[in-house]
Amino acid sequence: MANLLYQQIEMLSREKHIEPEVVVSAIEDAMVVAARKFYKSEEDLRAKFNPETGQVDVYSVYTVVEEVTDPKKEITVAEAKKKNPEAEVGTEIVAAKPTDVLGRIAAQTAKQVILQKVREAERDTIYNEYHNRVGELVTVIVKRAEGPDLIVDMGRTEARLPKREQSKLETYNIGERLRVVIKMVDRAAKGPQVIVSRADASLVQRLFEMEVPEIYDGTVQIRFAAREAGERTKVAVASRDKDVDPVGACVGMKGMRVQSIIRELRGEKIDIIPYNEETVAFAQKALSPAKVTRVQIIDPETKKLEVIVEDSQLSLAIGKKGQNVRLASKLIGWDIDIKSEEEKQEIEEQMTALTAPTTPLTSLAGVGAKTIEKIEAAGINSVEKLAGMTPEQLMEIPGIGEKMVDKIYQAVNRFYESGTEAAAATGEAAASGEAPAEGAEAVAEAAAEGETTETAESSETAEAVEEAPAAEETSEAALEATPANDEGDPAKAEEAKS
């Protein structure tokens, strides 16, 4: 009977992969709990398993002291010498407790304690074995489903395949064999504490190590990998041997190696990219299959890049729902901002317009103050902006006619012909009162040329006269000096005066 009990302990130990001493210790603890529950005592109880007889003995332990303060745990020297003549202060005296009276309830309690202790020992064993194997590729069998998660059999223990670690392209059946990587070992989990993954980027790396001998022996290295499970993976590879092409080694003859991995991942696309130490060159390769025109580092501290592509390559560089640029950003570890050539040119023109120097309208010689007010009221406040307007746009401004548009263009042409410094000097002169005189001379010339022959032209001349009130006398003098044929026509003279 004794041999049979110990054989059962050894068999349980082999099955749970724990030491027999752990099971024996669990049995002794269970007997102590059962005895304490039966005797309802606070005594210091201990148990001892005898592998020869198969008997578990329970003892009460007393400490020998000079003066007893706790009779349930202490004993005097005199009392101790009755049981052990060699007893002295500090030694322990044991007294056997009968175990044959414990009964069924105590046995049930002992059983629960043993199971709990064995389970804890098993979890510790699993943790110690697997926590150093994180990232390792293992083959599992789908055992059952628990909600969206799957429980898989690893052979020695069960593992959990959570929903977030499953590939979007895949569906799993009970009994199916899968290749997974060990993602983590959760010691505090209630159920299986080993978490495995089919969505982690390390799965692709482990598969490449199995299929590509150059990666397995270290000749070719996978430097970085970025993955969106079920859709696309980007892998950056580098070679330690200049004679070995890292991309060619991973692709294999006629693509056999990479196709084997794609089949394992059930059709997931894989981009194999040569690694480059230079960020700009690496970013250009990372955005493949799109062709990049140029790459510019915006901020090296926050790791920001600006990538310019042709207009036809913009959608390809961004990818479906931004997938290509997102994976490229994960792969190189930089934030990527993609722009097309047209978009970049528009932004540069806008920035140039914002930072370009502007010249006030008062620098224009020959344009009156009231006309400038009308132009500025339309939102035009610089000579550069005025020069870029068409005649039709200028005539849309209230109070600006066709003749005034011509004068404005002449003033702008004089401004650019004379140069910036000369124009500034002219502007100062206009501010000191010279401009009204020039405006008056222009009105006089217009009157001499016969601008007042039509009603619209006469009203425009009147506006010009209003802008230069200080020159009214000059205009009248000019009218008096007109040829004699105008003097003979009182109607024309009166119209010109108006």
Side-chain angles (χ1 to χ4, degrees):
M1 188 68 182
N3 292 335
L4 179 60
L5 177 59
Y6 198 73
Q7 287 175 6
Q8 293 293 328
I9 292 174
E10 290 183 337
M11 186 173 66
L12 180 63
S13 300
R14 288 193 297 270
E15 181 183 345
K16 300 297 184 181
H17 300 279
I18 56 180
E19 296 296 328
E21 291 77 11
V22 175
V23 182
V24 171
S25 176
I27 293 174
E28 292 175 347
D29 293 341
M31 290 300 294
V32 168
V33 172
R36 183 173 287 116
K37 187 173 183 179
F38 176 80
Y39 289 110
K40 297 179 182 179
S41 172
E42 295 180 2
E43 295 175 326
D44 186 7
L45 299 178
R46 297 179 188 175
K48 181 68 175 177
F49 175 74
N50 189 338
E52 299 295 334
T53 62
Q55 181 70 28
V56 182
D57 300 320
V58 179
Y59 303 94
S60 296
V61 181
Y62 298 92
T63 303
V64 180
V65 295
E66 291 287 351
E67 184 177 353
V68 176
T69 57
D70 185 1
K72 295 180 179 179
K73 297 182 180 180
E74 297 174 345
I75 189 173
T76 62
V77 177
E79 290 291 332
K81 286 185 177 295
K82 292 179 182 179
K83 297 182 179 182
N84 184 3
E86 298 179 358
E88 58 184 18
V89 176
T91 60
E92 293 181 344
I93 301 297
V94 296
K97 286 278 189 178
T99 58
D100 54 352
V101 296
L102 295 181
R104 181 181 58 83
I105 296 177
Q108 187 68 24
T109 304
K111 178 182 177 182
Q112 293 174 357
V113 173
I114 293 172
L115 291 176
Q116 181 180 355
K117 293 288 184 180
V118 170
R119 191 178 299 113
E120 290 176 357
E122 182 184 11
R123 292 177 66 83
D124 289 340
T125 303
I126 292 172
Y127 178 81
N128 293 332
E129 178 180 353
Y130 287 100
H131 84 282
N132 292 324
R133 297 175 59 186
V134 173
E136 183 179 323
L137 183 69
V138 294
T139 301
V140 298
I141 300 175
V142 179
K143 195 170 183 180
R144 66 182 183 274
E146 289 186 0
D149 299 346
L150 293 177
I151 304 301
V152 296
D153 186 5
M154 298 181 66
R156 288 191 51 182
T157 184
E158 291 182 347
R160 182 178 297 274
L161 179 62
K163 178 67 176 177
R164 66 179 181 275
E165 299 296 341
Q166 300 174 17
S167 175
K168 297 177 182 178
L169 287 181
E170 299 176 350
T171 56
Y172 309 100
N173 301 315
I174 304 299
E176 183 178 2
R177 299 177 68 88
L178 299 174
R179 285 179 178 176
V180 298
V181 290
I182 300 174
K183 184 70 177 290
M184 62 178 292
V185 182
D186 186 4
R187 194 168 195 167
K190 292 183 179 180
Q193 53 187 346
V194 180
I195 309 299
V196 296
S197 174
R198 284 279 296 177
D200 197 77
S202 60
L203 174 65
V204 181
Q205 297 185 44
R206 301 290 88 79
L207 291 174
F208 269 106
E209 290 175 1
M210 290 185 62
E211 294 292 337
V212 183
E214 290 83 355
I215 294 180
Y216 183 78
D217 62 20
T219 305
V220 176
Q221 295 179 327
I222 298 178
R223 302 299 297 269
F224 299 102
R227 185 184 184 203
E228 289 191 3
E231 296 182 6
R232 183 180 290 272
T233 297
K234 288 182 179 287
V235 179
V237 294
S239 175
R240 300 173 63 183
D241 187 344
K242 63 180 182 179
D243 295 329
V244 176
D245 177 18
V247 177
C250 294
V251 173
M253 184 178 293
K254 298 182 180 180
M256 291 179 61
R257 292 176 176 175
V258 72
Q259 286 298 326
S260 176
I261 298 173
I262 291 174
R263 283 194 300 271
E264 174 65 30
L265 299 177
R266 312 203 182 171
E268 183 175 318
K269 298 179 179 65
I270 298 178
D271 295 337
I272 303 174
I273 298 162
Y275 174 75
N276 197 309
E277 293 288 348
E278 295 184 2
T279 303
V280 172
F282 190 24
Q284 288 180 329
K285 297 294 184 181
L287 285 167
S288 63
K291 294 181 180 179
V292 177
T293 303
R294 64 182 183 274
V295 178
Q296 182 178 358
I297 297 177
I298 302 299
D299 189 349
E301 292 185 359
T302 57
K303 292 190 173 183
K304 291 187 177 180
L305 292 176
E306 184 180 67
V307 176
I308 309 301
V309 298
E310 296 288 344
D311 296 347
S312 60
Q313 295 288 313
L314 182 60
S315 60
L316 186 61
I318 295 174
K320 184 180 179 181
K321 298 180 181 179
Q323 183 187 84
N324 193 55
V325 66
R326 188 164 57 248
L327 284 174
S329 179
K330 289 180 183 178
L331 190 70
I332 67 175
W334 287 62
D335 292 336
I336 300 177
D337 183 17
I338 293 186
K339 293 183 175 66
S340 65
E341 289 282 5
E342 183 179 354
E343 184 181 359
K344 178 66 175 177
Q345 186 176 358
E346 290 178 358
I347 293 175
E348 289 177 350
E349 290 176 355
Q350 292 174 3
M351 294 299 295
T352 302
L354 290 173
T355 57
T358 58
T359 307
L361 293 176
T362 53
S363 301
L364 287 177
V367 180
K370 289 189 176 181
T371 302
I372 290 175
E373 289 179 2
K374 294 176 183 178
I375 296 173
E376 289 179 343
I380 304 163
N381 49 18
S382 67
V383 176
E384 289 79 10
K385 193 171 183 180
L386 182 64
M389 298 185 66
T390 62
E392 292 77 9
Q393 291 174 333
L394 283 173
M395 292 182 67
E396 291 177 359
I397 300 174
I400 302 296
E402 184 177 352
K403 298 296 182 181
M404 188 58 66
V405 169
D406 293 339
K407 294 172 187 175
I408 291 171
Y409 272 109
Q410 291 174 7
V412 171
N413 291 335
R414 285 197 299 270
F415 170 80
Y416 282 108
E417 289 174 358
S418 61
T420 305
E421 295 180 0
T426 306
E428 292 176 1
S432 63
E434 295 179 8
E438 291 178 0
E441 292 175 1
V443 172
E445 291 175 2
E449 291 173 1
E451 283 184 1
T452 58
T453 55
E454 295 178 6
T455 306
E457 294 177 357
S458 64
S459 63
E460 186 175 348
T461 306
E463 291 177 0
V465 173
E466 288 178 0
E467 294 177 5
E472 288 181 357
E473 295 179 0
T474 307
S475 300
E476 291 176 358
L479 290 170
E480 289 177 0
T482 52
N485 59 348
D486 287 345
E487 294 178 359
D489 193 343
K492 285 187 178 182
E494 187 66 21
E495 187 177 356
K497 289 180 181 180
S498 63

